[in-house]
Amino acid sequence: MNNDFLWWRDGVIYQIYPRSFADSNGDGIGDLPGITGKLDYLAQLGIDAIWLSPFYPSPQADFGYDVSDYKNVDPLFGTLADFDQLVAEAHRRGIRVVVDLVLNHTSNQHPWFLESRSSRDNPKRDWYLWREKPNNWQSVFGGSGWEWDQTTGAYYFHMFLKEQPDVNWRNPQVRREMLDVFRFWAERGVDGFRLDVFNVYFKHPDFPNNPRKAGLALRAFDRQWHLYDIDQPEMHPLLTEIRALLDQYPQRYAVGETFIATPEKAASYCGPDKLHAAFNFDFLFRKFSAADFAEGILKWEQALGESGWPNYVLSNHDQPRSATRYAKGEDDARVKVALGMLLTLRGTPFLYYGEEIGMRDITLKRHEIQDPPGKYYWPFYKGRDGCRSPMQWDDSPYAGFSNAKPWLPVHPNYTQRNVAVQQNDPHSLFRFVQQLLALRKAYPALQRGTLRFLLPPKPGILAYERTLNEQRMVVLLNFTEQVKTVGVSSPVGSSAGQVLLSTHGVQESALNRPMQVHPYEVRIILA
Ligand code: GLC
Ligand code: CA
């Protein structure tokens, strides 16, 4: 029935932060065998692909986003054999595997950097960005982007931590090495790549100062216009080269993390000879409001036009979780509305581990903070540890994540909020997400159907239809705590509509007369 299924377009991608998903060897840190052990759970949930945040050898200065060897696995997470097994077991269950490539910078412990810093005439000197004098470019994580290095008496540039020196993508050897990283993992059977901050790979060759931007932003980084350190034109031909490489393998995928980008900018990096997708983080910063989300959706659809394929994200490892932002206390009604939207829009949904059980961020005291920017900006910004706490599997000590004290505290709500409890509760968020994923699988209109809004979003309700050939689905999402009355017409000759899902047990629908939608109800109708 659904032979045209294309996993990265029609499927749902689930992000795993390996440190925090499942610990198989009792050191308090999640690992690859831990993930393999949970593949049945993920298959049961109904996702189509997993994206693994970095598991490569790393000093862990930025918890793996500082890579010291692109072609191996950190002993903390397992071995290459564990990785191969994870891929094989995932594939056996029809789950694709996306890995995270952090190619803008390496760790300062990467052998390339150790060589590069060792002398001015080292053959790898030009592999990084060395200058006699700093310009005004800033580090995202605080302070100047330039670090003085005593050995050779020069500065190197780091957009993130000083432990993450940026490589020189203009150097042809660097370019070759990096492209080879794609090949290495594609050959191992990896299905896709998430490109960490890809739009900062290139810097202006003359290193001009960035102009100042007015305003009172916390980070000096945000008080500049990033004309010369982000979004340089050289990125476009590089993406074409990367795409040509990926297209040598069947159904490979690349999604870029577009750093501080408008939807238009993100869209400009996508296309048949560029990336399959680039993240649009619009939803991460939206209020819980129908009108607000509608605005974000329309902007994104418009920016991508006919040829691009949207994607939507409500949570990731860098931002407070959707439930933290939208829920009231422990109640999940609003989270259901948000996830109901995420999973029925036109575009690839990304779920973040634990989002399916409504995990909330943990709150940490100052001495517990692990994330470097959290330490730097405290108390104005507390970092990203909050959304990285251990997965809550059951109510045993440490939530079934590990039998030792985890690297970050488990959320105190774990005794009530965990996978085991929610699997047994027909009204849980988990069961709701599972049901939605099953609906997506059964109805291709929910995957690649067109999207049309049926009502102006003003009165707090989102109503849209998804249509593919003869299949028409109507989605109603009430973002308010009031009953809303809506009229949605059904096409001439069609039946009154069959309710496939309602968070409030509504069973009958009569599309042609006004319908009452309950507070925070999610209703999906086959029209
Ligand atoms: C991206 C990652 C973030 C990391 C940064 C530097 O923004 O999502 O976690 O710290 O890049 O690699
Ligand atoms: Ca472990």
Side-chain angles (χ1 to χ4, degrees), residues 90-231:
H91 286 172
R92 227 159 54 78
R93 294 164 176 81
I95 295 175
R96 316 283 169 141
V97 178
V98 175
V99 299
D100 204 323
L101 294 187
V102 190
L103 309 182
N104 172 67
H105 42 266
T106 67
S107 158
N108 64 346
Q109 299 307 309
H110 196 295
W112 300 344
F113 187 71
L114 295 179
E115 274 194 54
S116 183
R117 89 188 322 177
S118 67
S119 78
R120 286 182 179 241
D121 53 12
N122 184 279
K124 293 205 172 52
R125 182 63 169 182
D126 182 51
W127 285 35
Y128 293 83
L129 304 169
W130 293 99
R131 302 274 293 169
E132 300 308 315
K133 275 207 176 79
N135 64 8
N136 75 350
W137 295 359
Q138 298 291 309
S139 154
V140 179
F141 290 159
S144 165
W146 296 93
E147 180 72 10
W148 170 253
D149 195 54
Q150 220 166 10
T151 324
T152 55
Y155 294 86
Y156 66 86
F157 182 67
H158 58 93
M159 174 76 91
F160 296 89
L161 295 175
K162 65 179 182 349
E163 291 83 3
Q164 296 167 298
D166 286 39
V167 302
N168 178 13
W169 267 92
R170 293 173 190 279
N171 179 301
Q173 288 167 306
V174 168
R175 195 172 172 124
R176 206 172 320 127
E177 284 287 345
M178 291 308 199
L179 289 175
D180 204 49
V181 176
F182 285 88
R183 244 175 249 117
F184 177 84
W185 293 103
E187 298 288 339
R188 290 199 105 83
V190 159
D191 303 280
F193 300 93
R194 179 259 188 193
L195 306 186
D196 191 67
V197 295
F198 76 94
N199 61 323
V200 312
Y201 287 3
F202 287 96
K203 281 79 183 173
H204 192 289
D206 304 331
F207 298 91
N209 283 325
N210 281 323
R212 273 173 218 295
K213 183 178 182 179
L216 295 170
L218 167 66
R219 305 187 297 187
F221 183 87
D222 297 321
R223 298 194 295 265
Q224 296 187 350
W225 294 103
H226 292 280
L227 295 192
Y228 303 118
D229 52 351
I230 299 186
D231 292 319

Side-chain angles (χ1 to χ4, degrees), residues 23-25 27 29-31 76:
D23 173 22
S24 72
N25 63 347
D27 63 357
I29 296 175
D31 43 55
L76 206 55

